[in-house]
Amino acid sequence: KLAHHENLNHSYPHCWRHKTPIIFRATPQWFISMDLNGLRKETLSEVDKVRWLPDWGKQRIKGMVENRPDWCVSRQRTWGVPIPLFVHKLTGALHPDTQRLVEEVAGSIELGGIDVWFEMEPSKLLGEEADQYDKVTDTLDVWFDSGVTHESVLRRWEDLDWPADLYLEGSDQHRGWFQSSLLSSVAMNGSAPYKTVLTHGFTVDAKGHKMSKSKGNVVAPQKVVKSLGADILRLWVASTDYRNEMTVSDEILKRMADAYRRIRNTSRFLLANLQGFDPQKDLVPVDEMLQLDRWALQHCADLQEQIISAYEGFQFHQIYQIVHHFCAVEMGGFYLDIIKDRQYTCKADSLPRRSAQTALYHIIESMARWLAPILSFTSEEIWEAIPGTRGDSVLLETWYQAIPEVEAGDDFSPEFWQQLMAVRSEVSKLLEELRSAGAIGSSLDADVTLYADEGLQTQMAKLEDELRFVLITSEARLQPLEAAPQEAREAEEVTGLKLLAVASSEQKCERCWHKREDVGQDQTHPGLCGRCVENVEGDGESRNYA
């Protein structure tokens, strides 16, 4: 006598792992009260004392503690840590001697393993009372297991400290491990088990989809290590802002490999140019160093402060950005490019060359340590190749503290060098156009004239004749801005500057490749310019700035 029949589609809870419907059953459970003994209030107080990274983690866990009901710690599973209790069959009360019974069960489990409890007959512990009590077969919630590691691990190992400096896990652990650790520690010790809690996102594919074996979008770490090396995988992790989901794909790892090569090749250049340098006898006092080398040291020291601060704040992606920019732009695109002339043309033991080597030595000593927590294997390779006496491993070192302190001066301030980099960039763009047009081969085939306003001209004039070494041209002249001819190019990024570059008409020096009017004037060395003759036969050229 059914009046009506209709199919209805509706949502229903499914197991997140097995993707099958869940069957619910009502069973008695064991709870820890959040309010009976002030556990909630004390826990919220401890939350304020912990450093949460990112900041939103604090509000997330605070909201969960404020709104959670009593903590259910029991599960009905056939495996896990037992809840070794006996309950009276009629009243439901715990056995009056529960504390002693728990200790006896713990001792038996310590000797015979976890199954001892499940196989144990109640009469063994309760004697004649056994018929009056039911043995609890529930197991503890696994979050309780991991949550008490502050007690079972930190307090049991002499070389570990309590509370922990850092708890690290994914963003789902505010309701899991972070919270169970906090609640159990506050209940047991009256304080949080950690000083800092860091939360990271999850790894997703290039489309932002969660990685899953069933989808076939998993990037296996073992495959990456085998094909690209462990350091590139580590560099990808460090370069990613872990506060959000972390995207990984073959293309992203390929870009990481390119970035890694930049860092590695910069390190190789630094080490290669330290050949023949003995830090015990060849270090140049900072007040005798060239101005460009002093800038390199000061910049290295400034970056080290930023890097240490980023490490202390667990901002690893900032460290990657700082180091990569340092290698690609400030070293590879500026400093190392300029000092090649000194390294390859000055006398081997001359002040200009030793000054540059002194800067290179301090930089690589610093860089090896900067890289050690991230590029562990590469930094060990660097460490073994740095000249001078050193410890067994860079991983056992502290930050490099021997960078000479450079006194800040108005003439060659960091702002001066930033302005010079901008001018050099404008010159490089103009020379690239000449090269593309076939007018010149290398930048040393060109003469460049800078038509600058009074302020900029005053700044650039500080380098005197050595401006050409910074611009890497055979000649570099300074002229007033109003004297600029019509064909002069106005700079795009530097105000008050026009540029004119032409192919040099002078003869090319066979040694330094500069085109100079004094090439061939020395009869003994007819293919050399005047300064190369001085470097080969004389006391060596003098440099003050670059």
Side-chain angles (χ1 to χ4, degrees), residues 6-12:
E6 181 181 354
N7 289 328
L8 178 66
N9 291 323
H10 64 95
S11 61
Y12 187 83

Side-chain angles (χ1 to χ4, degrees), residues 20-316:
T20 55
I22 295 173
I23 298 176
F24 293 93
R25 64 190 183 105
T27 59
Q29 303 290 349
W30 296 93
F31 294 87
I32 294 177
S33 173
M34 293 292 294
D35 298 306
L36 185 62
N37 294 301
L39 179 57
R40 191 191 309 274
K41 183 178 180 181
E42 285 188 53
T43 301
L44 291 172
S45 175
E46 286 300 306
V47 167
D48 291 331
K49 301 175 184 177
V50 175
R51 180 187 183 194
W52 300 90
L53 299 172
D55 293 341
W56 53 258
K58 178 179 178 179
Q59 293 306 318
R60 182 180 173 89
I61 196 166
K62 212 167 189 179
M64 290 181 173
V65 173
E66 285 175 341
N67 298 312
R68 80 169 298 162
D70 292 340
W71 182 10
C72 178
V73 294
S74 58
R75 295 292 184 270
Q76 289 69 51
R77 290 187 174 129
T78 56
W79 54 269
V81 177
I83 301 178
L85 301 175
F86 291 96
V87 179
H88 197 278
K89 291 182 178 181
L90 296 179
T91 67
L94 291 176
H95 192 283
D97 208 6
T98 291
Q99 186 64 43
R100 178 186 63 81
L101 294 173
V102 169
E103 291 294 339
E104 285 192 28
V105 173
S108 298
I109 288 176
E110 190 172 0
L111 294 174
I114 211 78
D115 288 335
V116 167
W117 167 253
F118 299 105
E119 297 169 356
M120 182 183 294
E121 291 295 331
S123 58
K124 183 178 179 180
L125 293 173
L126 302 182
E128 296 179 356
E129 293 181 306
D131 292 339
Q132 303 175 34
Y133 288 87
D134 287 327
K135 184 176 77 169
V136 174
T137 58
D138 294 347
T139 59
L140 276 171
D141 172 19
V142 291
W143 290 124
F144 192 93
D145 295 352
S146 61
V148 295
T149 50
H150 56 80
E151 186 70 25
S152 60
V153 176
L154 295 184
R155 289 191 184 275
R156 299 294 178 92
W157 292 72
E158 294 182 357
D159 55 346
L160 296 179
D161 293 328
W162 189 99
D165 291 315
L166 175 71
Y167 268 41
L168 165 69
E169 251 294 358
S171 55
D172 58 336
Q173 296 307 310
H174 291 95
R175 73 170 68 252
W177 184 48
F178 295 155
Q179 189 173 165
S180 64
S181 300
L182 180 63
L183 291 173
S184 60
S185 182
V186 170
M188 297 165 69
N189 307 300
S191 62
Y194 37 62
K195 301 174 184 176
T196 303
V197 173
L198 187 150
T199 307
H200 60 78
F202 295 98
T203 306
V204 296
D205 65 15
K207 297 179 180 178
H209 297 155
K210 180 182 177 182
M211 290 196 170
S212 169
K213 290 181 181 179
S214 59
K215 291 181 180 179
N217 63 343
V218 174
V219 177
Q222 297 90 334
K223 180 181 176 182
V224 178
V225 170
K226 188 174 181 179
S227 61
L228 297 175
D231 272 0
I232 290 176
L233 185 63
R234 296 169 67 91
L235 187 63
W236 163 73
V237 174
S239 68
T240 307
D241 187 350
Y242 56 77
R243 293 171 295 184
N244 305 308
E245 306 294 18
M246 298 181 289
T247 306
V248 64
S249 66
D250 291 338
E251 180 61 31
I252 290 172
L253 291 172
K254 184 175 178 293
R255 291 202 298 268
M256 277 297 106
D258 293 338
Y260 169 78
R261 276 191 289 273
R262 168 65 72 177
I263 296 171
R264 185 180 182 88
N265 288 340
T266 300
S267 302
R268 288 181 62 187
F269 184 92
L270 295 172
L271 293 169
N273 282 275
L274 286 172
Q275 187 170 358
F277 180 82
D278 183 355
Q280 296 296 321
K281 63 178 183 178
D282 295 328
L283 281 174
V284 176
V286 68
D287 57 350
E288 297 179 18
M289 294 175 69
L290 274 64
Q291 292 294 342
L292 179 61
D293 300 328
R294 294 190 202 181
W295 166 81
L297 287 183
Q298 182 59 57
H299 191 58
C300 178
D302 292 342
L303 288 187
Q304 178 156 289
E305 289 185 9
Q306 296 177 34
I307 287 170
I308 292 174
S309 176
Y311 269 120
E312 291 175 346
F314 306 102
Q315 300 300 313
F316 305 113

Side-chain angles (χ1 to χ4, degrees), residues 458-508:
T458 300
Q459 292 296 311
M460 296 300 102
K462 294 176 183 178
L463 296 174
E464 301 175 355
D465 182 54
E466 295 180 31
L467 176 61
R468 66 188 178 98
F469 295 121
V470 173
L471 303 179
I472 314 183
T473 55
S474 286
E475 186 64 76
R477 303 180 183 89
L478 281 170
Q479 295 292 334
L481 182 61
E482 55 269 20
Q486 188 173 359
E487 61 270 24
R489 173 76 61 84
E490 187 168 355
E492 297 176 356
E493 304 294 335
V494 180
T495 57
L497 175 66
K498 292 185 178 181
L499 304 167
L500 182 64
V502 296
S504 175
S505 59
E506 304 295 345
Q507 188 177 347
K508 184 177 182 179

